[in-house]
C-alpha cells in the first residue's frame, strides 16, 4: 500500500539499493517522475520493480525512476486477438522461443528505438539487464523465421508479474506474436499480470488497460512478495502458438 503524498517532489536516491521512494510523491508533470540517481545494480532494480518503479532516461542524464499515476497493464486473458492477426499468424511458420538470444533482442530493441525517437536503451541499460538475465530474472521472448530473429520483447519477471521493457519487429506483427505467445502461456508460467508501463494506442488495441497507481501497487503486493523467479521461462524453451 502506498502512502499519500504531502508534498510532491523528486527523491534523490542514496547509495542503499533498498531505499524505496513513495510512489504517491511522483510528479504530475511529467507524469510519474518520482526519483533520480542511484544505480542499476541487480538488487536495486529488483527492489524498485517490486514496488512498481522503472528506469527511463537518456544519457548523459542521471537515472530517472518513474511511477505513472495510471499504469498501462495487460491481464493475459484479456489479450485481443483480432481476426487479421489470427489470420496472419496462421499463415506463418514462425517459432517462438524463450531466452535463446537475449543480447540480440535487447540490441534490436535499442536499434528500433534509435531509428524512431532516439534510444534510452544505453550500454548501461544493456549491461544491467543482461546481468539480470544471467541471474534468471530478465527474459526474452523471441520470434524466429528459420534461423532469422524477426521480432520479440524482453522484460523482468518477478513472482506472478512480467514487467515488459521493450519490443521490436522486423516483420509485420512479429512483436504482437511474441506478446500473444507470452499471454497464451501465462497460466502455465503463473504470470497473472504484464506491466506495459506507459499507455499507447497500440497496447490498448491489444487488450491493455489503465490501472490506478494505488491499485497497481496493491497488485504488486499480492503478486511480487516474495519476488520469486519464474522457472517456466527456461533457457531454450519453445512456446507453441495456438490460434
Amino acid at each position: 500500500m502506498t502512502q499519500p503524498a504531502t508534498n510532491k517532489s523528486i527523491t534523490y536516491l542514496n547509495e542503499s539499493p533498498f531505499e524505496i521512494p513513495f510512489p504517491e510523491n511522483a510528479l504530475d508533470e511529467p507524469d510519474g517522475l518520482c526519483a533520480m540517481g542511484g544505480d542499476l545494480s541487480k538488487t536495486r532494480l529488483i527492489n524498485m520493480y517490486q514496488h512498481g518503479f522503472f528506469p527511463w532516461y537518456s544519457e548523459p542524464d542521471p537515472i530517472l525512476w518513474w511511477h505513472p499515476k495510471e499504469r498501462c497493464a495487460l491481464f493475459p486473458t484479456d489479450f485481443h486477438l483480432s481476426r487479421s492477426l489470427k489470420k496472419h499468424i496462421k499463415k506463418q511458420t514462425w517459432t517462438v522461443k524463450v531466452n535463446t538470444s537475449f543480447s540480440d533482442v535487447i540490441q534490436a530493441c535499442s536499434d528500433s528505438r534509435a531509428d524512431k525517437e532516439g534510444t534510452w536503451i544505453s550500454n548501461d541499460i544493456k549491461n544491467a539487464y543482461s546481468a539480470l538475465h544471467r541471474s534468471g530474472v530478465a527474459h526474452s521472448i523471441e520470434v524466429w523465421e528459420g534461423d532469422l530473429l524477426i521480432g520479440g520483447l524482453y522484460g523482468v519477471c518477478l513472482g506472478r508479474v512480467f514487467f515488459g521493457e521493450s519490443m521490436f519487429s522486423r516483420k509485420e506483427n512479429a512483436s504482437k506474436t511474441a506478446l500473444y505467445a507470452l499471454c497464451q502461456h501465462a497460466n502455465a508460467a503463473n504470470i497473472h499480470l504484464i506491466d506495459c508501463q506507459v499507455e499507447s494506442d497500440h497496447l490498448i488495441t491489444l487488450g491493455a488497460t489503465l490501472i490506478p497507481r494505488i491499485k497497481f501497487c496493491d497488485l504488486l503486493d499480492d503478486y511480487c512478495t516474495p519476488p520469486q523467479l519464474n522457472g517456466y521461462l527456461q533457457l531454450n524453451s519453445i512456446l507453441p502458438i495456438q490460434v
Side-chain angles (χ1 to χ4, degrees), residues 57-75:
Y57 68 104
S58 297
E59 293 182 337
D61 296 338
I63 301 171
L64 302 178
W65 300 91
W66 302 78
H67 207 305
K69 186 182 300 181
E70 290 188 306
R71 197 57 159 253
C72 187
L74 174 62
F75 294 96

Side-chain angles (χ1 to χ4, degrees), residues 216-233:
F216 183 76
C217 288
D218 287 343
L219 288 172
L220 296 187
D221 286 344
D222 291 338
Y223 294 162
C224 287
T225 308
Q228 299 170 339
L229 302 184
N230 191 302
Y232 183 85
L233 301 178

Side-chain angles (χ1 to χ4, degrees), residues 88 92 94 169-175 177:
H88 185 91
Q92 307 306 320
W94 296 346
S169 282
R170 290 175 176 153
K171 290 202 172 182
E172 183 182 5
N173 290 326
S175 63
T177 300

Side-chain angles (χ1 to χ4, degrees), residues 105 109 139-141 151-155 162 166-168 175 178-179 182:
V105 170
C109 289
H139 304 278
S140 58
I141 312 297
L153 59 88
Y154 78 95
F162 188 94
S166 188
M167 59 175 62
F168 78 99
S175 63
L179 182 57
L182 177 61

Side-chain angles (χ1 to χ4, degrees), residues 186-241:
N187 186 55
N190 197 28
I191 294 172
H192 292 197
L193 182 67
I194 298 173
D195 175 27
C196 303
Q197 297 182 348
V198 179
E199 178 188 8
S200 71
D201 292 339
H202 171 69
L203 290 167
I204 296 300
T205 62
L206 293 177
T209 188
L210 295 178
I211 301 176
R213 179 188 288 136
I214 191 167
K215 181 178 178 181
F216 183 76
C217 288
D218 287 343
L219 288 172
L220 296 187
D221 286 344
D222 291 338
Y223 294 162
C224 287
T225 308
Q228 299 170 339
L229 302 184
N230 191 302
Y232 183 85
L233 301 178
Q234 296 289 342
L235 180 65
N236 296 328
S237 60
I238 296 177
L239 302 182
I241 310 173

Side-chain angles (χ1 to χ4, degrees), residues 100-111 130 140 142 144 149 151 154 168 170:
T100 67
S101 195
F102 183 89
S103 60
D104 289 333
V105 170
I106 195 170
Q107 183 62 53
C109 289
S110 176
D111 294 342
S130 293
S140 58
E142 310 146 7
W144 294 84
L149 179 64
Y154 78 95
F168 78 99
R170 290 175 176 153

Side-chain angles (χ1 to χ4, degrees), residues 56-58 109-121:
W56 187 24
Y57 68 104
S58 297
C109 289
S110 176
D111 294 342
S112 175
R113 301 280 83 75
D115 290 341
K116 297 176 182 177
E117 68 275 0
T119 187
W120 56 270
I121 306 177

